[in-house]
């Protein structure tokens, strides 16, 4: 339900940029406990970062997955965008650090705070020219 809502909120932007979004949840009845609006904000921040990084390639894609691993809910949001250079990857959670002309640099640091408030964590893995994956653990 949460993923579908995020997809709907981003539908116009995704369509304008020709980005496909795929959703996978396993098991289908996987449940997260937390503040829905705050978790929604985390997902929106990550999706916004992904869509802004995409370069309008023919096969731009974002995959949102939720699954249970070792009794822990794990959300993965993976894109096939340009990736983040290693020297920038180390800084992405620093408040006010941004690589965007009009960015504020608070999206990921705010997302990390929200995840900590929920007893969880956020991790970003990226490889240049292959894409980026945000992993949220609850």
């Amino acid at each position: 339900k949460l993923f579908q809502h995020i997809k709907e909120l981003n539908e116009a932007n995704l369509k304008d940029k020709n980005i496909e979004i795929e959703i996978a949840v396993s098991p289908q009845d996987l449940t997260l406990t937390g503040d829905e609006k705050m978790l929604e904000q985390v997902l929106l921040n990550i999706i916004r970062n992904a869509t802004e990084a995409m370069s309008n390639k023919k096969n731009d894609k974002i995959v949102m997955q939720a699954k249970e691993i070792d009794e822990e809910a794990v959300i993965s949001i993976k894109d096939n965008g340009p990736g983040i250079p290693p020297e920038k990857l180390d800084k992405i959670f620093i408040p006010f650090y941004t690589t965007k002309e009009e960015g504020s640099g608070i999206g990921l640091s705010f997302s990390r705070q929200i995840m900590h408030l929920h007893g969880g964590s956020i991790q970003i893995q990226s490889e240049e020219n292959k894409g980026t994956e945000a992993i949220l653990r609850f």
Side-chain angles (χ1 to χ4, degrees):
K1 180 180 161 186
L2 180 61
F3 279 3
Q4 194 59 42
H5 183 63
I6 296 297
K7 184 177 180 179
E8 289 167 7
L9 289 173
N10 285 283
E11 201 153 17
N13 189 32
L14 293 167
K15 193 172 189 175
D16 287 346
K17 291 189 154 215
N18 199 30
I19 299 171
E20 179 187 345
I21 193 158
E22 184 179 304
I23 295 173
V25 179
S26 176
Q28 286 293 317
D29 63 348
L30 183 64
T31 304
L32 289 176
T33 303
D35 184 300
E36 186 174 352
K37 293 295 181 194
M38 290 179 85
L39 295 177
E40 185 178 283
Q41 190 61 54
V42 171
L43 297 177
L44 287 171
N45 284 338
I46 294 166
I47 297 292
R48 183 178 54 245
N49 286 346
T51 58
E52 289 175 357
M54 297 287 197
S55 57
N56 286 328
K57 294 185 307 202
K58 204 171 196 176
N59 63 344
D60 282 345
K61 185 177 189 176
I62 297 171
V63 177
M64 292 194 308
Q65 278 187 318
K67 55 189 167 188
E68 192 172 333
I69 300 174
D70 298 329
E71 297 182 28
E72 159 177 271
V74 178
I75 292 177
S76 164
I77 301 155
K78 188 172 189 168
D79 68 59
N80 63 346
I84 304 168
E87 66 276 6
K88 293 180 180 176
L89 191 59
D90 291 341
K91 300 174 185 169
I92 60 173
F93 289 109
I94 297 172
F96 308 110
Y97 173 80
T98 184
T99 59
K100 302 174 205 168
E101 279 186 33
E102 297 188 24
S104 66
I106 60 169
L108 286 176
S109 61
F110 182 61
S111 296
R112 178 184 259 178
Q113 285 288 93
I114 291 171
M115 289 303 297
H116 284 198
L117 288 171
H118 284 82
S121 66
I122 181 172
Q123 175 186 14
I124 306 290
Q125 299 175 344
S126 190
E127 193 172 338
E128 284 188 276
N129 302 313
K130 293 199 176 179
T132 302
E133 180 178 22
I135 301 163
L136 311 174
R137 296 183 187 279
F138 296 86

